[in-house]
Amino acid sequence: MTIETFPRSPGLDAGVEKKITYFSNKYVLGLTVIAGIGGLLFGYDTGVISGALLYIRDEFEAVDQSSFLQETIVSMALVGAMIGAAAGGGINDAYGRKQATLLADVIFALGSFVMAAAWNPYVIIFGRLLVGLGVGVASVTAPMYIAEAAPSEIRGGLVSTNVLMITSGQFLSYLVNLAFTEVRGTWRWMLGVAAVPAIIQFCLMLFLPESPRWLYMKRSRSDAIVVLSKIYDPFRLEEELDQLSAALEEERQRRNAISYWDVFRIKEIRLAFLAGAGLQAFQQFTGINTVMYYSPTIVQMAGFRSNQLALLLSLIVALMNAAGTIVGIYLIDHFGRRKLALSSLSGVILSLILLSVAFYLESFGWLAVLGLALYISFFAPGMGPVPWTVNSEIYPESYRGICAGMSATVNWVSNLVVAQSFLSVAEAVGTSSTFLILAAIGVAAFGFVFLFVPETKGLSFEEVERIWKERASGSSIHSESLLENGD
């Protein structure tokens, strides 16, 4: 995959056509993949509980007889993730992306061991809380680390690699679920094996550098230059250092005044946060983790009663999710973030309507499976990667950690609401009506993206920041020229 770019400002390389590919710099690719293991943890935790829950219900009668207890086992990880994401922004700003990742790995591994050894449902819930804390910190850290090490021309695709790791983790979880269906202590193995990727990432991260932008702003410019020199050629390195120097000077001028209240008080930051947090909320309220947490349960609702068959069909859905994300990695830097989100939501709305019809007709089980497959096919390339990519690039340098943490918290709060309420809402109003409600939310999401989310494809962090300043002042002329440049 190749992105052709032209320099936007005069310099030593002015007029020279450059080609940057996702695979041309193995150093950047290595940073991306290792940091993306945090996404793998995120995805594995999302997917594994959907299969493990079937066997936890078989072992503990109290769980089998209580939808609320089932929802709590699923959603307690989201409570932890919400707390971890809220704290993650401050941890990233104070200690750096690398230290935050190492902390997330330790907490996640500990939670996995607690779940594997659980002797009652409440210990499982405690283990899910710990795992969620690790996932929450990682969900803030991984996209930010990747974005700050990525050239702007391929930043979207590389950040989307983190989303590919999430969907790959979900697919892996279904494979693990199937592998352990006939093994004694089924659900304990499913939940405990999650510690393995956390331990692997911890060991690999020890050999990786800190984010170059964080190093430049917070600790050591010389160390940052060493890392940046492995990412950019000498001409481009000079341009990046000029931009970082300007950003550092601006941060010094406002460093003492930085606070959470600024996110709502300063108009350009408020507009950026509205776009980023809104995308995160709509990603969840259009139902993705309803599908991923409860897909085996949904398949059984559609008439397929076998645990193994439910897991197998869910595995196919997870595979489509991962495949769709690969398509999204290609499209996000070619087609653009905004267009991709709008196209994705159009298909999501139609798929949710199809699911509603399938459950209304009751006897059409395979139609429900088709609806799930179409939903994933439309969601995965667009609304899967776009919210995380946009949130990694739209905030000013000095507010990036704070805003990224706050927007990730919005994602996890929304995720919690959906996970904790889906089974109860389905029991109260019917599965058909529940999917119809999600379709209506999809329509609202389409309108939100159309009105509030700008295109950021191919723009530097500084150019994106100027878009918000000009929107805040009511000017759109220069923003439009930047968007054309990004195209």
Side-chain angles (χ1 to χ4, degrees):
M1 289 176 279
T2 301
I3 311 293
E4 295 189 4
T5 64
F6 299 88
R8 287 188 282 271
S9 58
L12 293 173
D13 59 344
V16 179
E17 181 178 331
K18 295 181 179 179
K19 291 185 178 180
I20 298 178
T21 71
Y22 296 129
F23 304 103
S24 59
N25 190 318
K26 292 182 173 59
Y27 183 74
V28 174
L29 189 61
L31 295 180
T32 300
V33 171
I34 294 171
I37 295 176
L40 188 76
L41 301 178
F42 181 168
Y44 187 90
D45 177 68
T46 300
V48 73
I49 195 62
S50 64
L53 187 61
L54 300 178
Y55 295 92
I56 292 171
R57 284 164 51 189
D58 288 344
E59 181 163 340
F60 298 108
E61 185 178 353
V63 176
D64 189 49
Q65 294 179 352
S66 172
S67 292
F68 176 79
L69 198 52
Q70 292 174 43
E71 289 171 336
T72 302
I73 289 173
V74 170
S75 62
M76 188 52 63
L78 307 180
V79 174
M82 183 176 64
I83 298 169
I91 292 170
N92 272 274
D93 279 345
Y95 301 104
R97 299 16 171 168
K98 179 177 178 177
Q99 297 301 320
T101 301
L102 294 173
L103 176 64
D105 288 331
V106 170
I107 297 173
F108 190 95
L110 179 62
S112 299
F113 292 138
V114 168
M115 289 188 295
W119 57 89
N120 66 47
Y122 304 100
V123 177
I124 298 175
I125 290 170
F126 176 66
R128 293 282 293 164
L129 177 67
L130 290 176
V131 164
L133 288 170
V135 167
V137 175
S139 70
V140 176
T141 307
M144 207 167 7
Y145 184 91
I146 295 169
E148 292 181 347
S152 59
E153 296 87 347
I154 55 172
R155 186 174 59 233
L158 291 179
V159 174
S160 296
T161 301
N162 183 59
V163 182
L164 175 61
M165 296 293 274
I166 294 173
T167 56
S168 297
Q170 291 167 339
F171 178 68
L172 176 64
S173 72
Y174 286 120
L175 284 178
V176 170
N177 284 349
L178 277 173
F180 288 117
T181 53
E182 302 298 332
V183 176
R184 185 177 179 181
T186 303
W187 61 268
R188 298 181 187 277
W189 285 101
M190 292 175 177
L191 299 176
V193 78
V196 174
I199 293 170
I200 291 172
Q201 185 183 43
F202 182 92
C203 294
L204 293 175
M205 281 298 298
L206 293 174
F207 299 97
L208 291 189
E210 182 52 78
S211 154
R213 292 186 73 92
W214 187 89
L215 281 173
Y216 194 94
M217 297 292 181
K218 304 286 186 179
R219 182 175 294 172
S220 168
R221 277 187 268 183
S222 59
D223 288 347
I225 292 170
V226 171
V227 179
L228 288 168
S229 66
K230 298 178 182 179
I231 299 172
Y232 300 108
D233 62 45
F235 299 126
R236 181 65 181 276
L237 175 61
E238 184 178 346
E239 182 181 335
E240 289 294 318
L241 290 175
D242 287 343
Q243 292 179 350
L244 281 171
S245 179
L248 178 60
E249 182 59 33
E250 185 175 345
E251 182 181 1
R252 281 174 175 164
Q253 293 175 5
R254 63 186 179 190
R255 178 175 292 166
N256 294 332
I258 293 174
S259 71
Y260 283 94
W261 176 243
D262 289 344
V263 177
F264 305 100
R265 182 179 62 84
I266 302 173
K267 189 173 182 180
E268 59 262 30
I269 301 175
R270 183 170 71 245
L271 290 173
F273 181 69
L274 172 66
L279 276 172
Q280 295 284 33
F282 279 120
Q283 183 192 64
Q284 295 304 318
F285 284 125
T286 49
I288 180 56
N289 280 322
T290 293
V291 171
M292 298 315 300
Y293 287 130
Y294 294 114
S295 57
T297 303
I298 293 170
V299 169
Q300 289 186 335
M301 286 178 177
F304 302 94
R305 298 300 177 188
S306 164
N307 283 358
Q308 285 82 0
L309 180 58
L311 287 173
L312 181 59
L313 291 174
S314 299
L315 176 66
I316 296 171
V317 171
L319 178 60
M320 294 183 68
N321 196 16
T325 305
I326 295 173
V327 175
I329 289 174
Y330 175 80
L331 292 177
I332 200 164
D333 282 317
H334 289 76
F335 197 53
R337 285 75 155 140
R338 186 171 182 269
K339 293 177 183 176
L340 193 56
L342 292 173
S343 301
S344 174
L345 284 167
S346 299
V348 163
I349 293 165
L350 294 175
S351 303
L352 288 169
I353 291 172
L354 178 61
L355 277 165
S356 178
V357 170
F359 279 95
Y360 179 77
L361 297 175
E362 292 185 353
S363 59
F364 289 79
W366 285 106
L367 188 61
V369 173
L370 175 62
L372 283 176
L374 287 175
Y375 174 91
I376 288 296
S377 298
F378 285 111
F379 186 96
M383 283 302 288
V386 167
W388 295 106
T389 299
V390 169
N391 273 278
S392 73
E393 62 191 6
I394 60 172
Y395 304 119
E397 183 72 41
S398 52
Y399 292 93
R400 189 166 298 138
I402 290 176
C403 290
M406 290 173 65
S407 65
T409 302
V410 169
N411 183 291
W412 289 111
V413 171
S414 305
N415 195 335
L416 173 63
V417 170
V418 172
Q420 188 67 38
S421 63
F422 174 73
L423 293 179
S424 298
V425 172
E427 287 179 359
V429 304
T431 309
S432 175
S433 297
T434 302
F435 282 116
L436 201 59
I437 292 170
L438 293 175
I441 295 172
V443 174
F446 186 97
F448 175 85
V449 172
F450 186 82
L451 292 173
F452 297 108
V453 179
E455 183 55 72
T456 55
K457 175 172 75 76
L459 302 181
S460 69
F461 288 114
E462 290 70 26
E463 288 169 333
V464 174
E465 186 173 349
R466 287 204 297 273
I467 288 178
W468 297 117
K469 287 181 178 178
E470 286 152 7
R471 284 197 172 194
S473 66
S475 171
S476 61
I477 296 175
H478 188 60
S479 297
E480 289 172 358
S481 69
L482 285 177
L483 297 181
E484 289 170 3
N485 229 345
D487 290 338

